Amino acid sequence: MKIAVFGATSAIAQAACRIWAGRGAEFLLAGRSADRLEAVKGDLTVHGAQTVVVCCCDLSDTSRHAEIIEQGERAIGPFDLVLIAYGTLPDQALAETDFLQAQNAINTNFLSVVSLLTELAKRMETRHSGTLAVISSVAGDRGRQSNYVYGAAKGGLSIYLAGLRNRLFHKGVKVLTIKPGFVDTPMTAAIKKGPLFVKPAVLGAGIVRAVDRGSDVAYLPWFWMPIMWIIRSIPEGVFKRMRL
Amino acid sequence: MDDYQSWGRYPQVTQSVLGFNWRGDKLPTLSGKSILAQGFCRSYGDSCLNENNVVLSTRALDRMIAFDPASGVLRCESGVSLEQILNLAVPQGWFLPVTPGTKFVSVGGAIANDVHGKNHHRAGTFGRHVRAFELLRSDGSRRVCSERSDGGLYAATIGGLGLTGVITWAEIQLRPILNPFIEMESIKFRSLEEFFQISADSDRNFEYTVAWLDCVSSGSAFGRGIFMRGNHSRSENDKTRKIPGRQKLVVPLDFPAWALNRLSVKAFNTLYYGKQVAREKKSSVYYDPFFYPLDAVLQWNRIYGKNGLVQFQCVVPVQGGHQAIREILATIVASGQASFLAVLKEFGAISSPGILSFPRPGVTLCLDFAMRGERTLALLQRLDQMVAQAGGAMYPAKDALMRAENFKSYYPRWAEFAEYVDSQISSSFWRRVSR
C-alpha cells in the first residue's frame, strides 16, 4: 500500500503509520522539520515499512501543493491512501481579539487542507480509486465559547469532507472524516488532562480500523459519538447560556 | 488522576511536567528550577519525582532507530518501552537480555535504575547489555557514551537515576531465542534453608530463578514459598505453537483502605501456597505470564487505595549464614503489615559497570506494604537500619524512606558518582539522600 502522510510528525499520524508499516506499506512523509521526519522514517523502517520518502515543506504555503503531490507520486507511485494529520490549536482568548490569530488557525486547519484535497481528489477521481483520510475534530460539531475559532475551522473542514465524499462516492474514491476527542499529544500539552484524554496509540489504531472498514465518519474513541450527539441536540436557546 | 506520580503513590508531590518529544530537541532552560527525565513512573518511591521542580516526560520519545535482525543489536529512543521491544523482537527470534517484572518501563528508566531480573545470576544487570547511549547535558553537549568512550560518564549513568543528563537513545544487545516459550518448574519449599538449597541447585541449570515468599505466616509455616525456575524452550515444535491470547484486566478505581487487611492477605497467601498441590510442577508457558504476571492487571497499584503503597527491596549478604535475612523476614511477619507480593531471589556475582548499581552478591527480598501512616513508616525505618547493620543495600527505585547516612553506606562510591551529576538535574530522591 502506498501512503502519503501530510503532517507526518504529528503524534496521531505516527501511531497510525507504525501499524501500516508493520504491514509493509510504502510512505511519503510530508512535514516541516527535516530532523523529525528522519526520526519518524527510522522508526517506520524498523517497524517494516518498505520505502520511506520524506518531503520537508511548509504545508501552509498552498502554492507548492500541486508540485509536492506530483513529486510524491513520482517517488513512490500513485497514492492508495492519504492521511492529512496536521493542525494547530490557537489560543482562543488571543484569537478573539486578534484577527491574525484566527486567520492563521483557519488557514492552517481548513484552507490549506482544502488546497491539498482539491489536487488529490482530481488525481484519485481519474484513477477511480483511493482513500482520503482527514483528521477533523469533535470541536467542529458545535461552536463553543472556549474553542470556537478552532471549532469553526474544523467544522468547515467536516462539511467540506461530507460534500467531497458525496461527490467522490460515485467515482470509487473513499473519504474518511476522523473526529478525535481529547488526545494526549504535544498539541494539547498546555491543557490539564481529564479522564476523557487518550493516548495517541489509541487514535492510531482507531484510524487504521476505520480505513480498513471503509468508514465515512469515525469518532475516536467511539464514546465521542453519543457525547457529540447529545451536545448537538441541545436547543440553541439553552446552549448559549451554558459555559462549555 | 495525576499520571506523573510514582507507582507507589507515596510520596505525592507538586511538580510541573514538560514533554521531551524529539531526540534532536534542546533541554528547556528554566531559571532556578531543576529538571529530571521521567518515563513511565514505574519507580515506586521518589526517585522519579522532582518536587517543586520540573519533570521532563519522555513518553513521546518512543521511536525505534535501527534494528539488525542478524546480530540482535537494537538502537532506539529512550522512551521506548520494553513492551515495544518485545513486540518487535520476539517474532524475529530475539529477547531482552535482562527484564524486570514489568514490561511497562522505558529503556531510559531501565538504564537509570540498572534494572535486574530473574537471570541476574547468569546475565547480570540490564546495564551490562547497553552498548552505547547518547547523553544530553544541560550545557547543550551531546555525549555518546560506551565502555570505551566517555567511560566515566557511562558508568555513572548506568544506575545513575537520571541525574547525569538526559538519555536520548540507547543501543542494546538482545539475546537470541528459538521460540517465545519458557520451560518452567515450580517447587514448594517449607523453610528458608530449603529455599537456599533449591536456589543453589537451580542456578547451575536454569537461566531464570525466583521465588514467591509467604511474608505473613509464622510458626511452622515461617519461610515457606514457591520456587520458580525456567529456561527458554529449545523445542522446534514450539516455533509453530499457537500464542495464547491474553485478556487484560484493569483496576478501574482505588480500592477502599479496608479491602486489604490481615485476613484477606492471610487468605491470599494460604490459597496461593495451597493452590499447587504437588511439591513439583512442570509446564511450558508463553513468556508473557512467566515474566510479567502483574502486567495482566493494569493499574494494580489501585488495589492499595488512594494512600498508596511503599515497597521495600533489599539485598543482604549470605556468606556466613542466613541470619540477616531470617531476622528481616521475622520482623516483617511479626509486624503483620506485609501484603501478597513478596519475592525472594539470590543475586549472582556478575558485576555491573554502574557506579551506583544496586545488585550485588547476596539474597534480595522485595515486597509491598500498604501505606498506613506512622506504623508503616516506622517499620520501614527499622528495616532500613537492619539492612544497614547487615552490610546490605536498599534499592533506590523502590525506596521512599532510606536515611541519607544509610544511602552513603549502601553506595560507598556515591561521592565519586556525585562528580558526574549534571548541575541542572536533580530529583526528590537525590535531595533526600545526598544531604
Side-chain angles (χ1 to χ4, degrees):
Chain A
M1 190 158 59
K2 298 180 196 305
I3 304 174
V5 186
F6 295 92
T9 57
S10 101
I12 296 172
Q14 286 181 70
C17 288
R18 229 175 234 174
I19 301 171
W20 288 319
R23 299 178 181 178
E26 296 169 76
F27 291 95
L28 171 78
L29 305 179
R32 238 180 337 195
S33 156
D35 276 6
R36 295 179 178 187
L37 287 169
E38 284 303 322
V40 177
K41 176 181 174 175
D43 184 57
L44 296 181
T45 305
V46 172
H47 279 97
Q50 292 287 320
T51 319
V52 184
V53 175
V54 301
C55 167
C56 186
C57 55
D58 179 3
L59 292 170
S60 63
D61 177 9
T62 54
S63 69
R64 283 202 58 212
H65 282 180
E67 175 199 339
I68 289 166
I69 292 165
E70 168 67 31
Q71 283 176 2
E73 293 212 323
R74 218 178 301 141
I76 68 166
F79 306 147
D80 300 305
L81 169 63
V82 175
L83 176 64
I84 300 181
Y86 63 90
T88 171
L89 188 63
D91 182 321
Q92 170 67 25
L94 283 180
E96 282 167 14
T97 52
D98 180 354
F99 170 66
L100 271 181
Q101 297 280 334
Q103 190 179 29
N104 277 338
I106 291 167
N107 272 337
T108 305
N109 292 322
F110 181 36
L111 289 174
S112 76
V113 182
V114 168
S115 159
L116 278 177
L117 288 169
T118 306
E119 187 60 31
L120 291 162
K122 271 195 285 192
R123 288 167 175 262
M124 286 190 172
E125 192 173 21
T126 55
R127 296 201 289 265
H128 294 277
S129 74
T131 298
L132 295 165
V134 184
I135 300 186
S136 182
S137 171
V138 295
D141 276 17
R142 191 158 193 180
R144 294 171 298 126
Q145 64 175 2
S146 59
N147 200 14
Y148 65 82
V149 173
Y150 179 74
K154 289 297 196 181
L157 180 59
S158 292
I159 292 175
Y160 182 90
L161 290 168
L164 187 66
R165 175 161 46 242
N166 188 194
R167 175 186 135 210
L168 294 182
F169 171 76
H170 304 282
K171 302 289 169 64
V173 177
K174 286 179 187 139
V175 177
L176 165 63
T177 309
I178 300 155
K179 294 185 178 180
F182 300 138
V183 192
D184 188 358
T185 67
M187 190 177 89
T188 59
I191 300 172
K192 200 170 153 44
K193 308 290 182 292
L196 294 179
F197 272 83
V198 295
K199 303 276 170 224
V202 175
L203 261 285
I207 290 172
V208 172
R209 202 165 47 237
V211 170
D212 286 348
R213 285 180 183 159
S215 307
D216 297 322
V217 179
Y219 284 88
L220 294 176
W222 63 270
F223 55 73
W224 284 97
M225 191 154 80
I227 294 174
M228 295 319 295
W229 182 82
I230 293 165
I231 288 181
R232 282 195 313 271
S233 314
I234 301 169
E236 194 61 28
V238 177
F239 196 81
K240 73 178 181 196
R241 286 164 218 274
M242 298 168 69
R243 294 189 181 278
L244 285 167
Chain B
M1 199 177 78
D2 184 346
D3 238 10
Y4 300 92
Q5 300 293 341
S6 64
W7 188 244
R9 293 198 276 166
Y10 177 84
Q12 299 208 15
V13 303
T14 307
Q15 59 192 2
S16 8
V17 181
L18 291 174
F20 188 73
N21 303 321
W22 298 92
R23 61 180 183 266
D25 282 2
K26 291 183 180 134
L27 292 181
T29 39
L30 306 151
S31 56
K33 298 246 179 197
S34 66
I35 56 171
L36 177 69
Q38 188 200 57
F40 296 103
C41 305
R42 285 289 172 137
S43 297
Y44 284 76
D46 57 358
S47 65
C48 64
L49 303 176
N50 201 8
E51 186 166 20
N52 298 325
N53 287 280
V54 178
V55 289
L56 210 51
S57 175
T58 59
R59 289 179 205 180
L61 203 66
D62 67 345
R63 299 170 199 93
M64 302 291 174
I65 300 171
F67 178 55
D68 177 7
S71 66
V73 174
L74 171 75
R75 185 183 285 207
C76 64
E77 292 180 347
S78 63
V80 165
S81 70
L82 299 190
E83 181 187 34
Q84 280 177 272
I85 295 179
L86 291 166
N87 289 344
L88 174 78
V90 169
Q92 302 188 58
W94 294 94
F95 200 75
L96 292 164
V98 164
T99 177
T102 171
K103 58 183 185 290
F104 303 135
V105 299
S106 68
V107 166
I111 296 170
N113 293 287
D114 197 17
V115 298
H116 56 272
K118 299 174 175 58
N119 61 349
H120 183 268
H121 59 288
R122 286 285 182 85
T125 63
F126 190 86
R128 286 190 69 246
H129 308 273
V130 177
R131 292 159 51 106
F133 52 80
E134 182 187 71
L135 200 63
L136 175 56
R137 306 265 289 178
S138 63
D139 61 10
S141 65
R142 287 174 185 270
R143 316 270 282 265
V144 176
C145 305
S146 66
E147 238 162 6
R148 293 209 185 87
S149 115
D150 243 330
L153 208 47
Y154 173 79
T157 302
I158 291 173
L161 302 168
L163 297 163
T164 58
V166 174
I167 301 168
T168 59
W169 58 258
E171 195 173 277
I172 305 156
Q173 175 66 58
L174 303 179
R175 60 110 57 221
I177 51 170
L178 209 60
N179 62 62
F181 291 90
I182 301 286
E183 303 287 349
M184 73 167 285
E185 297 180 16
S186 39
I187 306 163
K188 283 172 131 177
F189 56 88
R190 281 159 305 187
S191 67
L192 285 177
E193 279 66 39
E194 221 180 309
F195 161 81
F196 281 107
Q197 201 185 340
I198 300 171
S199 178
D201 289 348
S202 306
D203 281 3
R204 278 188 295 278
N205 298 323
F206 292 88
E207 181 168 352
Y208 300 106
T209 65
V210 71
W212 165 80
L213 182 70
D214 181 343
C215 285
V216 181
S217 302
S218 54
S220 64
F222 178 82
R224 70 177 181 181
I226 299 176
F227 195 95
M228 280 160 270
R229 57 192 193 184
N231 285 316
H232 286 283
S233 159
R234 289 192 197 89
S235 155
E236 291 289 330
N237 293 341
D238 280 349
K239 278 184 173 172
T240 49
R241 209 167 123 190
K242 193 172 176 291
I243 290 164
R246 208 174 175 204
Q247 283 293 319
K248 284 219 163 114
L249 297 172
V250 185
V251 179
L253 45 103
D254 292 337
F255 278 29
W258 48 261
L260 274 191
N261 55 45
R262 263 185 203 232
L263 215 64
S264 65
V265 169
K266 176 106 189 159
F268 173 87
N269 277 274
T270 305
L271 285 170
Y272 194 88
Y273 185 78
K275 118 190 140 152
Q276 180 175 329
V277 181
R279 184 173 172 273
E280 274 192 60
K281 200 174 92 180
K282 289 187 186 186
S283 50
S284 171
V285 295
Y286 188 52
Y287 77 83
D288 203 61
F290 179 77
F291 289 105
Y292 314 111
L294 278 173
D295 285 352
V297 188
L298 299 176
Q299 294 180 315
W300 61 261
N301 53 348
R302 288 177 171 173
I303 291 169
Y304 288 91
K306 65 177 178 2
N307 294 331
L309 68 136
V310 280
Q311 204 178 50
F312 165 80
Q313 183 171 358
C314 70
V315 56
V316 290
V318 285
Q319 279 159 339
H322 310 141
Q323 200 49 33
I325 194 73
R326 172 172 296 282
E327 279 169 18
I328 288 168
L329 181 60
T331 304
I332 291 167
V333 171
S335 78
Q337 294 191 49
S339 68
F340 33 69
L341 306 163
V343 163
L344 194 65
K345 169 166 175 69
E346 263 193 286
F347 282 146
I350 303 171
S351 66
S352 161
I355 298 177
L356 224 58
S357 189
F358 162 71
R360 59 201 73 186
V363 63
T364 183
L365 171 66
C366 171
L367 76 158
D368 298 337
F369 298 97
M371 181 58 199
R372 303 262 197 266
E374 276 309 312
R375 69 190 174 102
T376 311
L377 300 180
L379 172 66
L380 277 143
Q381 276 153 2
R382 186 158 169 226
L383 293 171
D384 182 28
Q385 290 303 93
M386 292 176 80
V387 172
Q389 273 158 24
M394 300 264 282
Y395 188 12
K398 308 279 180 84
D399 180 75
L401 288 149
M402 76 171 85
R403 292 167 62 156
E405 64 195 56
N406 287 345
F407 169 77
K408 289 165 188 165
S409 80
Y410 300 150
Y411 299 95
R413 292 172 71 193
W414 76 276
E416 179 192 346
F417 167 78
E419 299 287 312
Y420 292 101
V421 172
D422 189 300
S423 60
Q424 301 299 307
I425 296 180
S426 185
S427 68
S428 293
F429 175 84
W430 184 242
R431 288 189 290 277
R432 174 162 66 82
V433 300
S434 65
R435 276 197 292 252

